[in-house]
Amino acid sequence: MQPNDVNLTVDFLGLRLRNPLALTEGPLTGSADRIRRAAGHSIGIMFTKGIRPQPATSPNPFIAKTGRRSLMNADWSDIGFEQWLKDLEELRDRDFFLVASIAKNYVTPPVAADMAEEIAQCGPDAISLVDYDPDDLIRAVKLARPRVKLPLMVKLCPFMPRLEEVLKELVEAGIDGVAAMDSIGPVLAVDVETGLPSMGSEDGSGYLSGEAIKPVMVKYVYEISRFVDLPVVGVGGVSKAEDVVEVTMVGATVVGMVTAPLLHGLGVFDRVEKQLRKHLADRDVADINSLRGLTHRKVAEAGMRYDARAVIDPQKCENCGLCVRVCFKQAPLEEDGSTRIQIERCVGCGLCVSVCPQKAITLIC
Ligand SMILES: Cc1cc2nc3c(=O)[nH]c(=O)nc-3n(C[C@H](O)[C@H](O)[C@H](O)COP(=O)(O)O)c2cc1C
């Protein structure tokens, strides 16, 4: 199969997207001109920066790299509601999909519903409400739903309590989709030369995004898609084709990125789309939609195992010694120029499998 034969189109909120990639809320979608600039890339759908009633000035500095491929931010929308209405009007004539995202956490549910109704008149394809407080979010959806004909979705913050129950109420209130998740916070990082926090916010704290948060998001999407039969947007730490496949397998229809394009440029969307086509073509997967929810099915089939042990394929092993170094049971043994597992010592923890650069180790029952 050729990469160009792979179907990447996905159906989301009644729209057919060219691919599952989304540029979600952040500085790259912070105004009409920034959104138009991003539209030149291989992006299936965009989400505006969180729209709030008043513009806010972010204290400097408000974005910093922290750890590998991760960021901290304390970044607020520098344009307010009235300006956003003008920007959305300006974007009415467009050839890309756009969700208007409301930073619900800054307003009461009735104000959020008013904002949603007005924003809906300006021609976005859908509206999303973002909040930390589940009860407030449910109230806002209940008020907005009868007043907005467009698809209405919510974006959840990490570690939402009572997830199953909250999702049930949101579905009953009439949402059409769910995104997970916002950045994780508040978190703190300190410059050890100056002792100052890396963010200029009041207490120096900010919100964490990027590679560091990806496993939290993957678990979140997995859980959400167990509980609701609605399209899910997975966003958090995605930067490459394998990540998109992983997030699709746990149930996402759309996969978002913000930190990756901030760190590596908007061209990351073009690269990921290309890599994704090749990744799927190499594995004879003709349609990305066929992978959705695969992990749920596999988990149900696999059950739990307690008798697996590591085995090294001598054809692949290059005796790099990494498995010897990481094994806390000292099961791998380097002898006469080759490495083997002393099976009586192995407990099948799997660490050597995950670190082996040659993929020479497997767990076998
Ligand atoms: C600088 C920055 C600003 C952000 N602003 C918003 C925002 O206004 N509203 C929102 O819902 N999420 C916002 N986010 C969160 C992202 O949309 C996304 O959910 C989160 O960063 C995880 O994705 P990532 O790891 O690909 O960045 C922001 C993220 C960053 C890095």
Side-chain angles (χ1 to χ4, degrees), residues 24-25 27 49-50 73 75 155 181-182 209-210 235-237 258-259:
T24 68
E25 301 91 339
K49 170 94 186 142
N73 86 84
D75 174 40
K155 183 183 187 191
M181 54 185 208
D182 206 342
S209 63
V235 53
V258 173
T259 297

Side-chain angles (χ1 to χ4, degrees), residues 4-326:
N4 280 341
D5 297 333
V6 173
N7 177 42
L8 290 184
T9 63
V10 295
D11 292 330
F12 178 65
L13 306 178
L15 312 165
R16 171 130 323 162
L17 313 189
R18 60 185 280 186
N19 69 30
L21 306 179
L23 174 59
T24 68
E25 301 91 339
L28 295 165
T29 55
S31 62
D33 57 333
R34 283 183 248 168
I35 290 169
R36 284 221 186 268
R37 182 169 78 96
H41 295 272
S42 306
I43 300 174
I45 192 161
M46 282 189 262
F47 291 67
T48 67
K49 170 94 186 142
I51 301 175
R52 24 191 301 160
Q54 304 298 331
T57 308
S58 303
N60 307 115
F62 58 86
I63 310 180
K65 190 159 184 263
T66 178
R68 282 188 79 224
R69 299 198 197 115
S70 299
L71 290 177
M72 271 179 68
N73 86 84
D75 174 40
W76 324 131
S77 184
D78 54 8
I79 65 176
F81 183 63
E82 295 307 323
Q83 183 58 45
W84 265 115
L85 294 181
K86 290 185 193 142
D87 278 35
L88 289 169
E89 277 299 342
E90 202 277 295
L91 290 167
R92 195 183 275 277
D93 180 22
R94 63 177 185 278
D95 57 1
F96 52 88
F97 295 125
L98 182 65
V99 179
S101 184
I102 298 176
K104 154 70 203 67
N105 42 313
Y106 293 103
V107 292
T108 61
V111 174
D114 289 345
M115 287 170 77
E117 188 174 17
E118 250 189 285
I119 286 173
Q121 312 305 315
C122 301
D125 295 295
I127 291 190
S128 184
L129 295 167
V130 188
D131 206 344
Y132 291 81
D133 180 327
D135 296 321
D136 246 30
L137 188 56
I138 294 163
R139 272 199 296 277
V141 172
K142 281 184 178 161
L143 292 171
R145 179 70 287 177
R147 296 166 64 183
V148 172
K149 289 203 173 56
L150 293 175
L152 185 62
M153 57 176 290
V154 292
K155 183 183 187 191
L156 303 183
C157 298
F159 312 116
M160 177 75 82
R162 303 182 286 114
L163 182 65
E164 186 173 5
E165 205 182 302
V166 170
L167 285 169
K168 192 167 170 275
E169 287 194 56
L170 286 166
V171 171
E172 279 165 13
I175 54 163
D176 301 294
V178 183
M181 54 185 208
D182 206 342
S183 3
I184 294 182
V187 294
L188 189 67
V190 170
D191 179 336
V192 294
E193 297 301 332
T194 63
L196 271 172
S198 62
M199 296 287 96
S201 55
E202 200 176 350
D203 63 356
S205 65
Y207 290 82
L208 186 64
S209 63
E211 195 171 56
I213 71 169
K214 200 186 79 176
V216 179
M217 178 276 286
V218 171
K219 169 71 172 160
Y220 209 174
V221 170
Y222 179 85
E223 290 299 320
I224 293 169
S225 50
R226 278 179 58 214
F227 298 142
V228 298
D229 190 17
L230 290 177
V232 179
V233 180
V235 53
V238 169
S239 66
K240 52 189 191 301
E242 287 84 350
D243 299 335
V244 179
V245 171
E246 182 182 7
V247 184
T248 305
M249 285 178 171
V250 293
T253 298
V254 169
V255 181
M257 296 194 265
V258 173
T259 297
L262 276 171
L263 284 173
H264 307 296
L266 285 159
V268 74
F269 284 96
D270 312 315
R271 291 194 291 280
V272 169
E273 189 195 87
K274 203 166 158 210
Q275 290 165 1
L276 188 56
R277 287 189 176 284
K278 179 165 180 345
H279 179 98
L280 297 179
D282 287 351
R283 288 157 182 80
D284 277 332
V285 178
D287 185 349
I288 188 155
N289 294 285
S290 68
L291 297 180
R292 189 166 311 115
L294 180 68
T295 306
H296 299 87
R297 299 192 286 279
K298 291 279 180 180
V299 167
E301 278 165 23
M304 301 229 267
R305 290 172 5 193
Y306 298 96
D307 53 358
R309 300 291 178 262
V311 175
I312 298 180
D313 179 346
Q315 309 291 334
K316 291 186 183 166
C317 175
E318 293 186 356
N319 298 305
C320 68
L322 203 51
C323 57
V324 179
R325 211 182 316 153
V326 301

